[in-house]
Amino acid sequence: RLYPLSDLETAELRTGGQKLKVWIMDDASKRQEGMMFLRDGDVGPQEGMLFAFPDSAPRSFWMRNTLIPLDIAYLDDKGKVIN
């Protein structure tokens, strides 16, 4: 990986009464690598990634070289889950 998880900025999110630790993917290169090559022990049940973009627009994601199951939530610019 170009971006080991230990080198990434993190944030804490709360949703539905749950606390989540997320790694911030805030540039094109980080977003492109995303969760590629991570394995079960690398990401805990209350951990994930926040893909931050400079603008609000429809997005899609690929799962190339993604070895663990994923859930994706799309948020609006206010942080509300919309899909």
Side-chain angles (χ1 to χ4, degrees):
R1 289 185 52 89
L2 291 174
Y3 301 98
L5 297 180
S6 60
D7 291 351
L8 295 169
E9 178 184 353
T10 63
E12 183 179 289
L13 301 179
R14 291 183 178 272
T15 181
Q18 298 291 315
K19 249 191 323 189
L20 302 172
K21 172 188 171 184
V22 295
W23 293 280
I24 309 298
M25 309 309 274
D26 57 359
D27 68 33
S29 182
K30 289 177 189 173
R31 289 189 297 264
Q32 182 176 358
E33 183 174 66
M35 298 196 73
M36 281 195 221
F37 309 112
L38 296 175
R39 299 192 178 275
D40 283 333
D42 297 328
V43 180
Q46 301 304 107
E47 296 177 319
M49 289 187 172
L50 177 67
F51 291 78
F53 291 89
D55 60 347
S56 180
R59 307 278 186 214
S60 61
F61 290 84
W62 63 350
M63 307 255 303
R64 182 175 176 206
N65 299 314
T66 303
L67 309 173
I68 57 177
L70 297 178
D71 292 314
I72 296 177
Y74 291 88
L75 288 72
D76 66 14
D77 57 356
K78 294 179 178 58
K80 180 181 175 188
V81 175
I82 56 173
N83 194 358

